[in-house]
Amino acid sequence: EPTHPNPRIGGKKAREYPLCLEKTQGIGIDTSIMALLWRNAARAFAGVGRRELHTSVAAAANPTLPALCTDTGAQYETQIGPVGETKNMNLFHALNNAMDIALATDPKAVIFGEDVAFGGVFRCTVELREKYGNDRVFNTPLCEQGIAGFGIGMAAAGATPIAEIQFADYIFPAFDQIVNEAAKYRYRSGGLFNVGGLTIRSPCGAVGHGGHYHSQSPEAYFAHTPGLKVVIPRSPIEAKGLLLACIRDPNPCIFFEPKILYRAASEEVPLRDYTLPLGQADVVQAGTDVTVVGWGTQVHVLARAIAEVEARTGVSCELIDLRTILPWDREAVTKSVMKTGRLVVSHEAPLTGGFAAEIASAVQSDCFLSLEAPIQRVTGLDTPFPLIFEKYYLPDVTRVTEAIDHVMNF
């Protein structure tokens, strides 16, 4: 077996890198250039075992989530049954555990994407290739439309493909494959064929230093597409149950993973196989005065804002995690607003055309006579996602508390 040209990666590790210098000879690639590329790659990945890429020291500390957003134990038993044995996991560990279970329970399940064989840049698939083999966990070329198209083909043939798009910002080259092929496959064949086994995972959202190409939240683009399911978790317990539900759902699913949460928090996650229902929102905290709706990372921002408002004014806030963007739980949100008479919806994506607009429109239609104040949307700005001005772009606790104060004082 060829050894890697860089001793920091060489020897046994060479098996993890299928493109070796010896294989480039005779196909027109200068080996000196390849050696330089390998050195740069080695520098990039040499520290993966000690510190994770895209992870701050503070995030690596894995603080436990606030009690407001960690409905562990008995509160989950109504959804998943007896919790059983648990293990402390952060979000990427929970996702890894979910995919481990999927591969173990479904011999047709496969995982593929850019760099997933060594674990991926966020380590969500770490050690799965070693456990299940190269034919079930494997790398792809850097070609998002190819990844999506390959997954559609595998699903049409009866497999259970779990495809990874390395960053949600780069899902757009695969947009045609997802919205025109995957979403419409069953419909255009009159129900003869389907690609319901396809799940596409992708890290999304702000991370503190991602800039405009590694921070976007594109869920609203796909919410406009009948035939897809779009899911975004807020925590490790939710991530495991929702991902397994997506993998086993008879419809193609897009599973967006808030990447800042990968290592930002931990929970006691049930080790057993379980799923959480798609299309069903979760009432994280009951309240009587105002309904506050979000998903993913924003649920934690909303939780902090609610705590501040309640401590300062005594206002009772009902916090709802939408969980599934498509199909969204319209009934749960409207039922809450009929009780409270007020609604604040918040997400990281820009204001115009954001999914908060769909929620606001539906609630306005369903709850018009019950509304005590105009519906408020607290979102990202209508600009490209900025780098140095990220903290001004994001819908933070201050903006959320101002929106809650506005609807309460209207």
Side-chain angles (χ1 to χ4, degrees):
E1 180 182 36
T3 58
H4 196 282
N6 191 304
R8 297 179 71 180
I9 291 182
K12 183 178 179 180
K13 289 287 185 181
R15 287 193 292 271
E16 297 185 9
Y17 296 83
L19 180 62
C20 292
L21 286 181
E22 290 81 355
K23 297 183 180 181
T24 66
Q25 297 177 7
I27 59 173
I29 301 179
D30 189 311
T31 56
S32 64
I33 295 176
M34 289 303 299
L36 177 61
L37 293 175
W38 276 121
R39 283 196 294 273
N40 289 337
R43 293 190 187 101
F45 293 110
V48 163
R50 300 186 304 278
R51 58 174 178 82
E52 307 300 340
L53 298 178
H54 305 285
T55 307
S56 68
V57 174
N62 292 333
T64 300
L65 288 174
L68 183 64
C69 295
T70 55
D71 302 321
T72 57
Q75 295 185 30
Y76 266 103
E77 290 187 355
T78 57
Q79 300 180 57
I80 68 174
V83 172
E85 184 182 359
T86 65
K87 182 180 179 180
N88 190 269
M89 301 183 193
N90 58 28
L91 194 134
F92 96 84
H93 285 137
L95 294 171
N96 181 275
N97 183 234
M99 286 184 278
D100 190 0
I101 290 172
L103 291 170
T105 57
D106 183 357
K108 298 180 295 182
V110 295
I111 297 172
F112 53 88
E114 298 160 16
D115 302 320
V116 299
F118 84 87
V121 295
F122 295 109
R123 315 304 283 163
C124 293
T125 54
V126 68
E127 297 183 355
L128 295 180
R129 194 271 309 267
E130 289 77 7
K131 186 173 182 179
Y132 294 99
N134 293 327
D135 58 342
R136 298 191 66 195
V137 182
F138 50 89
N139 290 334
T140 66
L142 199 161
C143 181
E144 286 80 11
Q145 58 267 52
I147 294 170
F150 182 69
I152 291 167
M154 290 198 74
T160 307
I162 306 167
E164 179 183 301
I165 302 295
Q166 197 168 85
F167 288 90
D169 312 67
Y170 297 113
I171 202 170
F172 299 112
F175 197 76
D176 178 64
Q177 288 290 325
I178 295 171
V179 305
N180 275 336
E181 305 298 336
K184 298 174 174 63
Y185 210 92
R186 179 185 284 114
Y187 179 82
R188 68 177 185 149
S189 70
L192 293 176
F193 310 104
N194 73 85
V195 294
L198 174 64
T199 299
I200 298 175
R201 298 175 41 249
S202 192
C204 71
V207 73
H209 53 269
H212 52 286
Y213 284 143
H214 295 84
S215 305
Q216 297 176 72
S217 298
E219 65 270 14
Y221 289 97
F222 297 97
H224 195 65
T225 308
L228 297 176
K229 291 191 176 182
V230 182
V231 180
I232 308 177
R234 72 170 187 265
S235 69
I237 294 176
E238 295 275 326
K240 177 179 176 178
L242 291 172
L243 179 56
L244 281 170
C246 285
I247 293 169
R248 293 163 180 172
D249 193 86
N251 300 281
C253 297
I254 302 178
F255 189 84
F256 286 120
E257 302 163 5
K259 55 183 171 288
I260 198 170
L261 296 182
Y262 277 138
R263 296 164 180 80
S266 64
E267 288 182 309
E268 289 297 320
V269 179
L271 289 175
R272 70 176 185 83
D273 186 343
Y274 68 91
T275 60
L276 291 171
L278 302 182
Q280 181 177 313
D282 183 34
V283 179
V284 179
Q285 174 180 307
T288 58
D289 296 328
V290 57
T291 301
V292 183
V293 176
W295 50 88
T297 307
Q298 200 60 19
V299 174
H300 302 282
V301 177
L302 298 178
R304 293 196 299 272
I306 286 172
E308 192 275 328
V309 169
E310 290 183 339
R312 174 168 49 85
T313 67
V315 168
S316 175
C317 302
E318 181 148 296
L319 175 59
I320 296 178
D321 175 10
L322 208 56
R323 281 176 166 170
T324 307
I325 305 301
L326 185 68
W328 68 284
D329 194 345
R330 181 168 176 164
E331 180 181 357
V333 175
T334 55
K335 180 181 177 181
S336 176
V337 176
M338 291 287 283
K339 175 178 63 175
T340 66
R342 303 171 181 86
L343 174 63
V344 174
V345 189
S346 185
H347 56 64
E348 288 186 8
L351 174 70
T352 302
F355 198 69
E358 173 63 26
I359 297 172
S361 175
V363 170
Q364 176 79 359
S365 175
D366 295 351
C367 308
F368 181 75
L369 295 178
S370 298
L371 288 173
E372 301 288 346
I375 297 167
Q376 297 297 296
R377 292 180 290 161
V378 186
T379 71
L381 305 180
D382 285 334
T383 70
F385 199 103
L387 179 59
I388 61 173
F389 297 122
E390 177 177 307
K391 67 178 181 178
Y392 303 110
Y393 173 93
L394 290 174
D396 60 8
V397 170
T398 299
R399 290 173 58 193
V400 173
T401 57
E402 287 175 351
I404 296 174
D405 288 342
H406 177 77
V407 298
M408 293 305 302
N409 297 324
F410 182 77

